[in-house]
């Protein structure tokens, strides 16, 4: 016998065409489960808030666009929608590499709807306390989160960092804190961070040129928002956790939300990839090898919403990748998301199990399907 020949056994009581019938029934059950879905109950309950958040984000883009154009002309090659929320390849306030396509994908007001949905799935309700960290890397998503928080009526404690990766809010004279201030002045948002750090390596810009750090510090001082000035990585994590606890003042924190991949939030490279994008309620043990802000909240049983892996998140929520034309509020799969009917799925599963049992054990059924049984026994070798 060839060493590549394999022999396996199957019951001869079930004819081959009976197995084909089972396979067809399984495929039919799968098709029914896929196409007979119900509207996502979270979307059903929060639809008005999702639209409100998306409208606020759209209005915010309209405020930022002309202001950014006055600071530095917008290059349509890099920012096709001329949103003003796409930065430059490099500047003295740029920390790390960043994907341009990911930044372009965030220029869609319906990210506000995504933020509302994720917060609702995390259990955030009006009046709940929420811990939030943002950097300058994804200014459009910062705006989406702020708009969603206000649409829901949550009470966030926000800690920001001012520097940015490539293509984010890294135009030196139009940092995220400048955009925030402009959005507050125009009445688009009212939220304000309780503290701002320089950001970057160790949350104090050790990967930036000295003039970049000095520029960011001067902008923070001008904003009037307290500077978070840690002495190193461990202190940066501890400072943020302590500030969240102090500001919460005994109130339970219902969710933790982070935009971007700040090292103090999700750890250095190699650790950060263990924290999933979107909503998560736990992380693998390896994610906790280094102390991080997100790891702290997950250990405390607080759900975390992590805006990272933007292209994958966009696909999961039915949003286009790097749209070149303005996307209207209310468009995209996020508003029409469905979910499986659990009762139907259980019924179909039981039906398949029952059909399989009848095929194997019912002499009447098998004789009906196969005519007669194999006289050499109930099993036969298949080569």
């Amino acid at each position: 016998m060839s060493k590549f020949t394999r022999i396996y056994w199957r019951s001869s009581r079930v004819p081959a065409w009976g197995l084909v019938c089972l396979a067809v029934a399984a495929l039919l059950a799968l098709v029914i489960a896929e196409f007979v879905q119900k509207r996502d109950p979270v979307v059903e309950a929060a639809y008005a808030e999702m639209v409100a958040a998306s409208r606020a984000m759209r209005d915010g883009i309209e405020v930022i666009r002309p202001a950014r154009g006055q600071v530095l002309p917008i290059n349509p090659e890099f920012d096709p929608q001329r949103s003003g929320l796409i930065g430059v390849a490099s500047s003295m306030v740029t920390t790390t590499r960043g994907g341009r396509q990911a930044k372009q994908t965030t220029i869609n007001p319906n990210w506000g709807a995504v933020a509302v949905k994720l917060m609702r799935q995390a259990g955030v309700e009006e009046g709940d306390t929420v811990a939030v960290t943002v950097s300058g890397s994804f200014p459009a998503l910062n705006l989406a989160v702020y708009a969603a928080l206000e649409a829901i009526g949550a009470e966030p404690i926000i800690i920001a960092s001012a520097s940015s990766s490539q293509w984010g809010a890294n135009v030196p004279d139009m940092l995220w804190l400048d955009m925030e201030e402009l959005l507050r002045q125009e009445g688009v948002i009212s939220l304000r961070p309780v503290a701002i750090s320089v950001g970057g390596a160790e949350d104090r810009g050790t990967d930036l040129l000295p003039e970049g750090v000095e520029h960011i510090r001067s902008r923070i001082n001008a904003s009037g928002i307290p500077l978070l000035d840690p002495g190193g990585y461990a202190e940066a994590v501890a400072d943020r956790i302590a500030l969240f606890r102090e500001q919460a003042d005994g109130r339970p924190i219902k969710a933790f939300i982070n935009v971007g991949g700040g090292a103090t939030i999700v750890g250095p490279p190699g650790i950060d990839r263990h924290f999933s994008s979107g909503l998560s309620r736990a992380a693998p043990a390896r994610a906790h090898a280094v102390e991080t802000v997100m790891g702290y909240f997950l250990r405390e049983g607080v759900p975390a919403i992590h805006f990272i892996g933007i292209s994958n998140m966009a696909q999961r929520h039915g949003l286009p990748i790097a749209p070149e034309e303005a996307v209207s509020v209310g468009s995209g799969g996020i508003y029409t998301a469905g979910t499986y009917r659990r009762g139907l799925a259980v019924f179909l599963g039981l039906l398949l199990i029952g059909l399989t049992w009848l095929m194997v054990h019912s002499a009447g059924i098998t004789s009906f399907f196969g005519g007669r049984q194999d006289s050499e026994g109930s099993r036969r070798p298949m080569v």
Side-chain angles (χ1 to χ4, degrees), residues 61-303:
I61 293 173
E62 295 303 320
V63 168
I64 296 298
R65 177 180 290 121
R68 161 58 207 286
Q70 291 176 359
V71 172
L72 181 71
I74 297 173
N75 187 335
E77 179 184 354
F78 304 140
D79 187 356
Q81 296 188 46
R82 295 174 173 80
S83 68
L85 291 161
I86 304 292
V88 294
S90 180
S91 72
M92 63 178 175
V93 298
T94 304
T95 53
T96 59
R97 296 177 62 184
R100 196 168 73 205
Q101 185 188 65
K103 307 298 172 83
Q104 293 170 342
T105 299
T106 65
I107 310 304
N108 181 339
N110 297 299
W111 279 100
V114 174
V116 168
K117 182 180 178 183
L118 291 173
M119 288 182 207
R120 285 299 197 189
Q121 288 178 328
V124 176
E125 303 286 346
E126 183 178 2
D128 283 341
T129 302
V130 179
V132 180
T133 52
V134 299
S135 72
S137 296
F138 289 96
L141 293 182
N142 295 350
L143 174 56
V145 168
Y146 281 35
L149 288 164
E150 295 197 349
I152 292 174
E155 296 182 4
I157 303 165
I158 302 171
I159 300 177
S161 56
S163 53
S164 164
S165 60
Q166 288 179 297
W167 310 111
N170 64 341
V171 175
D173 290 330
M174 185 56 83
L175 303 177
W176 168 244
L177 60 90
D178 300 313
M179 295 182 185
E180 269 194 348
E181 179 60 30
L182 186 58
L183 292 167
R184 283 192 292 271
Q185 289 176 358
E186 295 298 322
V188 177
I189 61 172
S190 60
L191 299 177
R192 183 182 173 90
V194 297
I196 298 183
S197 68
V198 171
E202 299 186 355
D203 209 17
R204 56 194 180 108
T206 56
D207 52 348
L208 296 174
L209 295 173
E211 55 265 36
V213 175
E214 185 58 33
H215 178 79
I216 291 174
R217 284 177 174 271
S218 68
R219 306 291 288 197
I220 293 175
N221 289 336
S223 73
I225 299 173
L227 170 67
L228 193 65
D229 194 16
Y233 176 87
E235 191 174 317
V237 175
D239 281 353
R240 286 176 181 251
I241 294 172
L243 191 53
F244 280 129
R245 292 170 63 92
E246 176 188 331
Q247 292 289 323
D249 194 25
R251 293 171 295 167
I253 293 178
K254 202 59 178 286
F256 171 67
I257 303 168
N258 175 64
V259 180
T264 57
I265 310 302
V266 290
I271 297 296
D272 55 356
R273 62 188 175 87
H274 296 300
F275 291 99
S276 303
S277 68
L279 172 64
S280 59
R281 300 180 188 277
R286 284 173 291 182
H288 301 289
V290 175
E291 185 68 13
T292 61
V293 177
M294 186 171 288
Y296 165 80
F297 279 110
L298 288 173
R299 286 198 306 275
E300 293 290 310
V302 177

Side-chain angles (χ1 to χ4, degrees), residues 285-351:
R286 284 173 291 182
H288 301 289
V290 175
E291 185 68 13
T292 61
V293 177
M294 186 171 288
Y296 165 80
F297 279 110
L298 288 173
R299 286 198 306 275
E300 293 290 310
V302 177
I305 299 171
H306 189 21
F307 284 90
I308 201 71
I310 302 306
S311 295
N312 287 336
M313 287 190 75
Q315 291 172 344
R316 290 204 300 269
H317 295 288
L319 300 185
I321 303 297
E324 295 190 355
E325 302 292 334
V327 181
S328 59
V329 170
S331 66
I334 183 67
Y335 296 96
T336 56
T339 186
Y340 293 111
R341 295 179 181 273
R342 292 184 179 179
L344 177 63
V346 170
F347 171 75
L348 292 172
L350 292 174
L351 193 63

Side-chain angles (χ1 to χ4, degrees), residues 6-12 374 376 379-383:
R6 291 183 178 179
I7 296 178
Y8 61 94
W9 297 81
R10 74 168 180 85
S11 171
S12 63
D374 193 325
E376 295 181 355
R379 295 188 303 167
R380 59 186 177 192
M382 303 295 290
V383 177

